[in-house]
Amino acid sequence: MNTLSEAYRDHPLHLHHIIPLDFDSVRTVPESHVWPPSPAFEPDDDQSSIPTVDLMDPDAVKLIGHACETWGVFHVINHGIPMDILDEAESEARRLFSLPAGQKLRALRSPAGATGYGLARISPFFNKNMWHEGFTVMGSPIDHARELWPDDYQRFCDVIEDYQKKMKELAETLMHLILKSLDLSEEEISKVVSSGGASTALQLNSYPFCPDPSRVMGLAPHTDTSLLTVLYQSTIDGLQIFKDGAGWVLVSPTNGSLVVNVGDFLHILSNARFPNVIHRVVLKENQKQRLSLAYFYNPPVDSHVSPLALNSARIPLYRSVSVREYVDIKASNLEKALSFIRI
Ligand SMILES: C=C1C[C@]23C[C@@]1(O)CC[C@H]2[C@@]12CCC[C@@](C)(C(=O)O1)[C@H]2[C@@H]3C(=O)O
Ligand SMILES: O=C(O)CCC(=O)C(=O)O
Ligand SMILES: [Fe+2]
């Protein structure tokens, strides 16, 4: 049992916050999925300045530090993950979400569970449903894969486990560079990036074809709880980040690149130097189903996170918090969670 999933046990959800719509059965958008119009739905599509970090660049530490500080999100290229690993994982995700609704429900996340098929965890905080279905993996996906494909689960498990292994290596490399950019010592870095202890999760996301995309929300605005998230968004647009002064900025997929964003834990650890970027997913007219794979890299669940990179005045902005406690606070308070640990 992945201990991160235990951290969610005390926050059981109602089934109506877990069970997705049977998207194949609807020809119009039900009222439960219509979001109020908002001027912010007209995004500023200028993504020209979202940084790209080349991991082979000798200046990668400086570039990555600057990207985290100015945007909290960047594209990463030369990341070392072969294209066929990304393609295969996407095609297994497609195979899963293409199953009939009744079959997907066999792997439904349980009310107190963290893994399996279902709506995004943030659903109870919004009074409208999102145009989204997800599948969460923590460690081995074998139990849920067996529920989905009793006689044919091995391929899914092999591909997803290989993907997680590669993502973990990449996340460790990225964390190392990021913490170096904060001038942390190797000793401090190794406490945060201890390969044995990290708690991780992989979220497969599907945004099905929608008959009226301007009235729905793919994934509502949120920050990730993680230290960092590595996202593969294949070829279809939809991800937007909120940038002060610029509004919603589209983060378009570029061939084979991955998107990395700063989560709450890295925001705390950097003493608010790196913004935990707010992001959402919107849908466009005549768009096919969109898939994405988000890999969340977190500190060990029983470890504590506190500001390590203090400014010259050495004033920490947040108190130390255990990963378990923060997950707990966030499960009840979502975007207000950080204010509970602010000094
Ligand atoms: C480890 C996790 C992060 C996550 C909650 C989860 O247990 C697994 C799903 C993740 C996800 C994906 C969609 C957006 C998000 C906010 C959500 O509702 O579920 C994130 C969660 C998070 O970052 O807190
Ligand atoms: O689908 C996307 O592009 C973003 C997904 C996301 O934000 C998440 O899984 O946390
Ligand atoms: Fe996210």
Side-chain angles (χ1 to χ4, degrees), residues 168 172 194-198:
K168 187 168 190 206
E172 284 169 2
S194 56
S195 55

Side-chain angles (χ1 to χ4, degrees), residues 159-289:
V159 168
I160 294 301
E161 281 178 26
D162 197 27
Y163 187 85
Q164 292 186 97
K165 186 167 164 267
K166 295 281 187 312
M167 282 291 154
K168 187 168 190 206
E169 286 163 11
L170 174 60
E172 284 169 2
T173 303
L174 291 165
M175 277 307 303
H176 207 270
L177 295 170
I178 291 171
L179 297 178
K180 260 181 119 69
S181 83
L182 288 172
D183 280 334
L184 298 193
S185 67
E186 284 299 330
E187 199 190 333
E188 284 171 306
I189 294 176
S190 65
K191 279 188 200 145
V192 182
V193 194
S194 56
S195 55
S199 52
T200 64
L202 173 64
Q203 170 83 2
L204 313 181
N205 294 303
S206 152
Y207 308 89
F209 166 80
C210 180
D212 200 354
S214 64
R215 301 174 75 209
V216 303
M217 177 65 79
L219 196 54
H222 66 277
T223 63
D224 294 341
T225 308
S226 57
L227 280 166
L228 59 78
T229 304
V230 184
L231 180 82
Y232 178 54
Q233 51 169 343
S234 191
T235 55
I236 300 184
D237 273 346
L239 175 66
Q240 298 176 338
I241 59 127
F242 190 81
K243 174 128 170 82
D244 284 340
W248 289 105
V249 180
L250 189 70
V251 187
S252 276
T254 54
N255 198 17
S257 79
L258 296 164
V259 176
V260 178
N261 69 264
V262 170
D264 298 348
F265 286 130
L266 185 53
H267 172 78
I268 298 167
L269 197 147
S270 70
N271 203 27
R273 194 156 137 190
F274 298 161
N276 50 339
V277 67
I278 300 173
H279 52 288
R280 69 178 185 182
V281 176
V282 295
L283 281 83
K284 299 245 171 79
E285 291 297 333
N286 300 319
Q287 197 175 57
K288 289 189 296 190
Q289 176 191 37

Side-chain angles (χ1 to χ4, degrees), residues 16 71 101 126 129 139 153 175 190 197 202 220 227 265 316 335 343:
H16 62 266
W71 285 83
F126 301 90
N129 284 330
Y153 53 86
M175 277 307 303
S190 65
L202 173 64
L227 280 166
F265 286 130
E335 83 280 4
I343 293 175

